[in-house]
């Protein structure tokens, strides 16, 4: 199936991202989560050059088609945590800005084959990099113990009924393997109380989020990327990160604060011994969020939070 490069992804907080990164001719940026190329195109239109990274080959294909007329664009199929390695391979010392738009893209959610969404009957996959031979979602569902499943749903999905859901999965997989999104969603729905089952969001939402995060190691990958980002930025360059759930946003907030020189010593110590030196300056003390007009035009933007920091 060929991805539509324009409809692949609507860039979230587009105007604010451009304002914060201030692209112009002669500047070089990294879009570490390329998707369909929406954010990258905005940077390119301003005359900047862009290196676009994505581990999803369909995203690379869609963005490359969309941006084929921009000579300053280069696509690389890699995860953004590998940015220092990409720089070394390309002979790039540092850039004028980095953008990370986290989470799953609209196209990945809408493509039934990928198994990200319970809206479609599909194999339980959820790998963003389909060439990755690691665990897919069905492997986790079929092989994790009840305690491991409950811990995963609670930690990564903040699911209050994690243990009930895990127990029901264990019971149902003993009858037949759970290999499709629709069956898993039905099992989860049957495990929770009726008032939760018919609440504001689908009862499987948090559990599916947890599985996706675990399959793609999203939080550990993000932490690695944020720890290494300073070495990729010129002095005065900025990193902008858009997060969509509390776990991601909390990680970004804490990483930015730590990299800004906040003392990391235990509170019991009377004297600072960590000798923490600031490498970033916080530009946003609180996250930037979409306004009502953007949310109405693009409902998937409703939970987006943009944080920005600058290399010093």
């Amino acid at each position: 199936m060929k991805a539509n490069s324009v409809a692949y992804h609507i860039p979230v907080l587009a105007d604010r991202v451009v304002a914060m990164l201030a692209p112009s001719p002669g500047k070089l940026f990294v879009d570490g989560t390329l998707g369909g190329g929406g954010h990258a195109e905005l940077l390119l239109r301003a005359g900047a050059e862009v290196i676009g990274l994505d581990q999803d080959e369909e995203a690379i294909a869609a963005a490359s088609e969309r941006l084929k007329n921009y000579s300053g664009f280069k696509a690389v199929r890699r995860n953004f945590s590998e940015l220092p390695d990409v720089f070394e391979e390309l002979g790039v010392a540092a850039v004028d800005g980095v953008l990370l738009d986290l989470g799953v893209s609209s196209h990945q959610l809408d493509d039934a084959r990928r198994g990200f969404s319970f809206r479609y009957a599909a194999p339980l996959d959820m790998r963003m990099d389909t060439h990755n031979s690691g665990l897919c979602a069905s492997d986790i569902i079929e092989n994790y113990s009840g305690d491991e499943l409950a811990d995963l749903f609670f930690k990564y999905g903040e699911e209050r009924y994690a243990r009930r859901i895990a127990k029901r999965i264990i019971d149902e997989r003993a009858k037949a393997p759970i290999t499709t999104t629709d069956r898993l969603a039905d099992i989860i729905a049957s495990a929770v109380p009726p008032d939760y089952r018919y609440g504001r969001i689908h009862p499987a939402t948090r559990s599916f989020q947890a599985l996706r995060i675990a399959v793609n190691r999203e939080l550990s990958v993000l932490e690695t990327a944020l720890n290494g980002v300073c070495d990729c930025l010129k002095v005065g360059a900025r990193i902008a990160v858009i997060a969509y759930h509390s776990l991601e946003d909390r990680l970004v907030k804490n990483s930015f604060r730590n990299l800004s020189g906040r003392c990391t010593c235990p509170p019991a110590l009377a004297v600072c011994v960590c000798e923490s030196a600031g490498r970033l300056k916080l530009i946003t003390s609180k996250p930037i969020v979409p306004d009502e007009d953007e949310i109405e035009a693009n409902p998937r933007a409703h939970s987006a939070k943009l944080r920005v920091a600058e290399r010093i």
Side-chain angles (χ1 to χ4, degrees):
M1 181 185 299
K2 184 178 179 180
N4 184 307
S5 59
V6 176
Y8 194 102
H9 177 67
I10 302 172
V12 173
L13 291 166
D15 292 342
R16 305 304 295 273
V17 166
V18 171
M20 285 292 175
L21 293 180
S24 62
K27 289 186 176 182
L28 174 62
F29 292 88
V30 168
D31 184 344
T33 46
L34 183 58
H39 284 114
E41 185 169 23
L42 296 173
L43 301 176
L44 291 162
R45 282 180 184 173
E49 296 183 356
V50 175
I51 301 170
L53 273 62
D54 206 295
Q55 60 189 333
D56 186 336
E57 65 180 347
E58 291 189 3
I60 292 290
S64 296
E65 174 63 23
R66 177 175 187 161
L67 306 175
K68 62 185 179 183
N69 294 324
Y70 291 95
S71 60
F73 173 68
K74 183 175 183 60
V76 181
R77 195 175 74 81
R78 298 283 282 275
N79 185 278
F80 58 74
S81 65
E82 302 173 86
L83 191 54
D85 295 333
V86 173
F87 275 26
E88 184 176 351
E89 293 166 8
L90 297 179
V92 174
V95 295
D96 298 287
V98 172
L99 169 66
L100 301 178
D101 183 8
L102 305 175
V104 63
S105 74
S106 299
H107 173 74
Q108 288 167 330
L109 285 170
D110 292 337
D111 186 347
R113 301 169 304 156
R114 306 298 293 273
F116 285 105
S117 174
F118 43 76
R119 291 181 297 155
Y120 312 103
L124 268 175
D125 192 326
M126 297 193 187
R127 289 172 299 166
M128 291 184 181
D129 180 358
T130 55
H131 292 284
N132 179 3
S133 59
L135 290 177
C136 62
S138 61
D139 295 323
I140 292 175
I141 291 297
E142 286 301 309
N143 296 303
Y144 273 31
S145 68
D147 286 342
E148 288 173 326
L149 285 173
D151 289 346
L152 185 152
F153 294 145
F154 183 77
K155 180 179 179 181
Y156 293 149
E158 300 178 301
E159 173 54 70
R160 66 170 128 164
Y161 295 110
R163 299 216 168 272
R164 293 176 61 157
I165 291 170
K167 184 180 184 304
R168 185 62 57 88
I169 288 172
I170 296 297
D171 292 343
E172 292 299 321
R173 80 184 188 192
K175 302 174 184 176
I178 304 169
T179 59
T180 61
T181 55
D182 56 336
R183 181 162 184 242
L184 177 60
D186 288 344
I187 290 169
I188 293 170
S190 71
V192 300
D195 60 338
Y196 190 72
R197 194 179 309 156
Y198 302 108
R200 182 176 59 85
I201 64 172
H202 192 284
T205 299
R206 294 183 177 88
S207 299
F208 269 63
Q209 171 188 292
L211 280 170
R212 192 200 77 222
I213 290 173
V215 166
N216 297 289
R217 302 180 299 109
E218 291 178 29
L219 296 182
S220 61
V221 164
L222 176 58
E223 185 172 18
T224 297
L226 293 174
N227 287 337
V229 74
C230 289
D231 295 330
C232 301
L233 295 172
K234 298 176 183 177
V235 173
R238 291 180 173 182
I239 175 171
V241 184
I242 304 173
Y244 293 88
H245 59 73
S246 60
L247 297 176
E248 288 176 338
D249 183 58
R250 192 179 306 131
L251 197 161
V252 174
K253 178 179 69 173
N254 291 338
S255 293
F256 280 3
R257 284 183 176 177
N258 290 338
L259 289 166
S260 69
R262 185 184 68 170
C263 176
T264 58
C265 295
L269 286 181
V271 179
C272 173
V273 296
C274 70
E275 299 180 349
S276 187
R279 305 182 70 194
L280 291 178
K281 175 177 69 175
L282 299 180
I283 300 301
T284 52
S285 57
K286 294 183 178 180
I288 297 170
V289 298
D291 59 26
E292 293 182 2
D293 289 341
E294 179 171 3
I295 293 172
E296 184 177 354
N298 180 16
R300 285 177 177 167
H302 79 278
S303 59
K305 293 182 178 181
L306 169 65
R307 294 184 186 270
V308 183
E310 183 175 291
R311 180 75 164 93
I312 56 177

